[in-house]
Amino acid sequence: MATAKTTTKTETPKKETSKKSAEAITQSAKTSKTKAAAISKKPIENRSEGKKKILFVASECTPFIQTGGLAEVIGSLSKALAVTWRYDVRVVVPMYSDIKREYRDKFTYLGNLYVHLAWRNQYCGIFTYEENGVTFYFIDNEFYFKRPGCYGYFDDGERFAFFSRSVLEIMPFLNFYPDVMHCHDWQAALAAIYLKTNYCFREEYQFIRALFTIHNIEYQGQYSLDLLGDLFDIYGTYQYLVEYRNCINLMKGAIECCEAFSTVSPRYAQEIKDPYFAHGLDPIIRKNEFKLRGILNGIDDVGYNCELDKHLFANFTPNDFSNKKICKQELQKILGLPQKPDTPIISMITRLVSHKGLDLVTNVIEELLQDDVQVVILGTGDAHFEGFFSDLAYRYPDKMSTNIAFNGDLSRKIYSGSDIFLMPSKSEPCGLSQMIACRYATVPIVRETGGLYDSIKPLENGYTFANYNAHDMLYVIRQAIKDYKKKSEWEKLMYRAVTADFSWGHSATEYEALYSDMLK
Ligand code: GLC
């Protein structure tokens, strides 16, 4: 980890790095005329220190910034690999202005350099932070990242091209050349593409292997071919790598360029060979199948633990669920639902978008609400779903609670206070919520797709249905409600759910095997 703290001779003096907040330092660094002159002058770090060097490249990471499951995987997988002591794990993400203040204030400024991208020459500040044995780097550029949120801007292509190029440019500055550069989703795809086009001819870069992980094939990073040179700075000779169906397709480019690529569950790895799931990329997946793996995500099973979680109204254990009743009662209280201990609560914590299976739910929910149930929804998303569920809560105030929000504290209260967790996704690369629900002894009902299929087994730790059909789903929900009434059987099911192993242990070992194969 020594290099993380390295500063170059010509950088901002040390005293400046120690006391000021990260933001103030950004400003002072920007105004200074210093350049990273020491770049490329250092000897390449000794690769045989015993640890393999892994660099995660991603657009979000817990605990700093999160919009979805990707961030959790980056945060928890990097930690799981670092604790083995076999890896020097580092993670690089953009320094968004929304990164939590409590962390920003602890970042250390390492220096800055200028990154070329076609005709652009952009400031790139580098900040660092260490936690749980993982070194994090943050790429600072206020023009690109001082905006609310992470995505959804007209220039996202340029923002993540700058980010990806910076990842390669900071390596000489840090004197850190990973054995495996592990890029996640389209926002990091260009790092793999640049490595295998512009950079691999340089001595220091030529041993770096690229692994590309697809967390969701729906978002591919597609742009007009006109932007090839002007925006992405890719030479015409490499157009064939990124071109797909008359567009630039960054995910396709990364798949072509990397030594291996993976998805976040074995089932999804199979599914994306099929046009139904692949959003047009199935021919590319099939062509590159020889380097594809599917590795099921794990979750941070210490962070999600019904015995320890401070967010819960009461903690409980797999051997004594009595306090889960308190969680349920208090949840009903804060949501304004009648406090009925024997009425099953069915919950959904989800983005309110169609592929999460909401079309099925909207189809049959009024039928379901005729039964003795309570339904709780937490999430944000498409306006018509937000409106639909809000209206339903208005019409069924005793049975339905709709919460249009992204709220970590409330989500844990809902996971722990519910009886059944519904996740009927049309497609689901992995899905973490069904595993988290299990950790709070809440029994999941899922559709058999992607990681839902791989993690939830009928009657072992939940319920499943195969076809994307609203009444198939309703049938299984009603079966679960019936079983819920048989208290001792239900408790056995809760026990099997809460004790199912979703830790990273197994999956991290599979990543280790993959890294080893790539380094042979
Ligand atoms: C994406 C996928 C989700 C997966 C997560 C982490 O958000 O949609 O299924 O669990 O990435 O890999």
Side-chain angles (χ1 to χ4, degrees):
M1 299 294 171
T3 52
K5 297 279 182 207
T6 307
T7 46
T8 55
K9 285 184 281 203
T10 54
E11 289 310 318
T12 317
K14 257 190 195 152
K15 60 177 187 249
E16 267 204 313
T17 66
S18 57
K19 296 219 173 64
K20 289 185 183 177
S21 76
E23 210 168 56
I25 293 166
T26 311
Q27 291 306 333
S28 69
K30 271 189 191 168
T31 48
S32 83
K33 294 262 178 342
T34 56
K35 292 225 171 107
I39 294 176
S40 304
K41 296 282 180 274
K42 295 175 200 165
I44 297 174
E45 214 179 66
N46 182 6
R47 285 171 198 280
S48 57
E49 269 172 356
K51 288 187 182 185
K52 293 280 177 237
K53 297 174 211 155
I54 311 292
L55 180 66
F56 279 38
V57 185
S59 56
E60 49 183 278
C61 175
T62 56
F64 313 105
I65 182 107
Q66 172 171 26
T67 70
L70 168 66
E72 291 206 28
V73 172
I74 304 302
S76 54
L77 174 58
S78 57
K79 184 163 119 186
L81 289 167
V83 297
T84 66
W85 292 100
R86 288 188 283 277
Y87 298 92
D88 175 354
V89 188
R90 308 191 188 189
V91 178
V92 55
V93 287
M95 179 128 153
Y96 306 102
S97 46
D98 274 1
I99 286 182
K100 291 179 193 156
R101 184 96 245 163
E102 62 196 278
Y103 289 104
R104 275 179 91 88
D105 289 346
K106 292 187 209 146
F107 294 173
T108 303
Y109 170 69
L110 289 181
N112 73 81
L113 44 87
Y114 277 78
V115 170
H116 294 271
L117 191 67
W119 46 268
R120 296 167 195 80
N121 190 25
Q122 286 282 4
Y123 169 87
C124 166
I126 308 161
F127 286 80
T128 191
Y129 178 71
E130 274 187 47
E131 195 171 89
N132 299 315
V134 180
T135 303
F136 297 91
Y137 297 114
F138 301 88
I139 301 293
D140 181 38
N141 176 301
E142 294 192 349
F143 172 64
Y144 289 129
F145 302 126
K146 192 177 179 185
R147 313 175 187 190
C150 300
Y151 321 112
Y153 293 96
F154 76 98
D155 58 349
D156 279 358
E158 182 178 332
R159 295 168 75 221
F160 292 105
F162 164 77
F163 169 65
S164 300
R165 182 61 76 92
S166 301
V167 169
L168 294 156
E169 286 292 319
I170 65 172
M171 288 178 187
F173 180 89
L174 301 170
N175 194 26
F176 179 77
Y177 298 91
D179 295 299
V180 175
M181 184 172 74
H182 188 166
C183 305
H184 298 260
D185 273 351
W186 78 264
Q187 293 89 347
L190 275 164
I193 297 167
Y194 290 143
L195 175 69
K196 298 298 168 183
T197 54
N198 305 21
Y199 286 78
C200 64
F201 303 106
R202 299 200 211 161
E203 193 201 334
E204 321 86 274
Y205 292 86
Q206 63 185 330
F207 295 110
I208 303 175
R209 312 286 211 274
L211 170 62
F212 181 66
T213 294
I214 300 173
H215 293 258
N216 193 340
I217 204 166
E218 193 175 342
Y219 308 105
Q220 298 171 3
Q222 297 182 67
Y223 293 91
S224 161
L225 270 180
D226 305 341
L227 301 173
L228 190 75
D230 190 44
L231 182 69
F232 293 116
D233 202 5
I234 296 173
Y235 308 138
T237 40
Y238 295 125
Q239 179 169 334
Y240 76 99
L241 286 172
V242 292
E243 182 175 358
Y244 190 57
R245 298 188 173 163
N246 230 8
C247 282
I248 294 171
N249 186 314
L250 299 178
M251 185 171 273
K252 182 256 181 186
I255 293 170
E256 297 283 12
C257 288
C258 63
E259 273 81 18
F261 73 114
S262 67
T263 67
V264 287
S265 68
R267 179 73 164 202
Y268 194 62
Q270 294 304 319
E271 288 175 344
I272 57 175
K273 291 180 214 159
D274 186 310
Y276 181 82
F277 292 97
H279 294 269
L281 271 188
D282 48 295
I284 302 300
I285 305 292
R286 289 195 298 270
K287 177 182 152 210
N288 289 282
E289 191 183 341
F290 68 97
K291 52 180 181 178
L292 171 63
R293 293 265 177 110
I295 302 177
L296 188 69
N297 285 333
I299 54 171
D300 175 358
D301 61 345
V302 178
Y304 295 114
N305 186 326
C306 58
E307 296 183 48
L308 307 171
D309 194 333
K310 297 266 178 291
H311 295 270
L312 307 199
F313 289 112
N315 292 108
F316 52 91
T317 71
N319 296 316
D320 180 5
F321 291 126
S322 47
N323 276 355
K324 189 168 162 74
K325 296 193 184 92
I326 302 176
C327 295
K328 179 169 176 176
Q329 192 184 13
E330 293 298 316
L331 178 68
Q332 288 169 323
K333 209 189 269 179
I334 60 164
L335 297 180
L337 293 168
Q339 289 167 45
K340 295 184 175 173
D342 296 324
T343 299
I345 297 185
I346 303 172
S347 61
M348 293 184 78
I349 299 174
T350 179
R351 267 186 303 131
L352 298 173
V353 291
S354 172
H355 82 259
K356 292 291 181 183
L358 294 173
D359 302 316
L360 303 190
V361 180
T362 53
N363 243 286
V364 293
I365 192 162
E366 295 220 41
E367 246 177 275
L368 175 65
L369 287 171
Q370 306 314 313
D371 298 356
D372 179 28
V373 290
Q374 293 178 346
V375 177
V376 173
I377 291 190
L378 172 66
T380 58
D382 292 350
H384 73 278
F385 287 124
E386 291 188 358
F388 178 90
F389 290 114
S390 301
D391 171 65
L392 217 55
Y394 179 73
R395 289 192 290 123
Y396 294 88
D398 287 350
K399 293 197 158 185
M400 175 93 204
S401 165
T402 300
N403 307 274
I404 305 298
F406 185 87
N407 181 330
D409 176 69
L410 182 59
S411 73
R412 287 163 189 256
K413 292 187 162 68
I414 295 175
Y415 280 124
S416 56
S418 317
D419 300 294
I420 294 167
F421 187 81
L422 180 61
M423 201 160 169
S425 307
K426 191 169 189 182
S427 70
E428 194 61 70
C430 176
L432 305 177
S433 306
Q434 78 282 12
M435 304 185 200
I436 298 171
C438 284
R439 298 289 299 153
Y440 295 97
T442 296
V443 176
I445 299 179
V446 304
R447 194 176 91 78
E448 291 168 15
T449 182
L452 298 177
Y453 173 87
D454 289 322
S455 57
I456 304 303
K457 302 292 170 204
L459 295 179
E460 196 179 305
N461 58 354
Y463 294 81
T464 69
F465 62 100
N467 295 324
Y468 194 67
N469 176 299
H471 280 91
D472 282 10
M473 177 186 77
L474 184 60
Y475 177 84
V476 176
I477 295 175
R478 287 192 162 140
Q479 184 59 47
I481 293 173
K482 223 187 268 170
D483 294 348
Y484 168 81
K485 310 278 175 203
K486 303 174 209 151
K487 288 295 168 206
S488 76
E489 287 305 303
W490 188 258
E491 287 216 349
K492 283 183 199 152
L493 182 55
M494 283 164 69
Y495 179 84
R496 291 195 296 272
V498 79
T499 53
D501 181 8
F502 294 124
S503 68
W504 271 106
H506 182 66
S507 309
T509 311
E510 287 192 49
Y511 274 108
E512 289 195 45
L514 175 54
Y515 296 148
S516 302
D517 285 355
M518 291 175 70
L519 292 170
K520 269 177 197 161

